């Protein structure tokens, strides 16, 4: 099964996450199929907090990929943010 999940990067006390598409049997930091975005929970004022490639995420979900709970929430918030920015 293919999953869309977060993989942690960054230094101690400075977490940074990549949103990746990977086989669910692989380790968290292991090789992934595709990088579809990033999430920076400690972003400062002018730094980007979340960037996702929604088209690629939808593509993988249509192929049967499962999203982790956190990724589902990030995608939902990112879509709301995109709609608000467009208006």
């Amino acid at each position: 099964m293919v999953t869309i999940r977060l993989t942690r990067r960054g230094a101690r006390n400075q977490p940074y996450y990549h949103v990746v598409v990977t086989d669910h049997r692989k380790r968290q930091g292991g090789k992934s199929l595709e990088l579809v975005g990033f999430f920076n929970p400690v972003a400062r004022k002018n730094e980007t907090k979340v960037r996702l490639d929604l088209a690629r995420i939808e593509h993988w979900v249509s192929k049967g990929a499962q999203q982790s709970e956190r990724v589902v929430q990030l995608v939902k918030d990112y879509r709301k943010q995109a709609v608000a920015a467009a208006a």
Side-chain angles (χ1 to χ4, degrees):
M1 178 191 322
V2 176
T3 21
I4 303 173
R5 64 182 181 199
L6 299 175
T7 183
R8 191 179 194 280
R9 300 284 187 234
R12 186 176 66 208
N13 297 326
Q14 296 175 341
Y16 183 89
Y17 298 92
H18 285 166
V19 181
V20 295
V21 179
T22 186
D23 188 341
H24 79 282
R25 295 171 291 189
K26 298 282 185 180
R27 296 182 54 191
Q28 181 202 14
K31 188 173 181 181
S32 61
L33 299 172
E34 184 177 356
L35 175 67
V36 292
F38 70 86
F39 171 54
N40 184 2
V42 292
R44 304 248 191 299
K45 293 179 184 178
N46 57 355
E47 293 177 353
T48 306
K49 186 167 182 155
V50 179
R51 182 174 298 141
L52 299 172
D53 187 353
L54 293 176
R56 293 304 296 167
I57 291 173
E58 289 173 12
H59 166 79
W60 282 104
V61 170
S62 72
K63 298 290 185 187
Q66 298 293 314
Q67 300 177 54
S68 70
E69 292 177 23
R70 185 62 174 141
V71 171
V72 168
Q73 190 62 43
L74 286 173
V75 169
K76 188 177 185 182
D77 292 344
Y78 190 73
R79 281 194 174 123
K80 283 183 187 177
Q81 200 176 63
V83 168

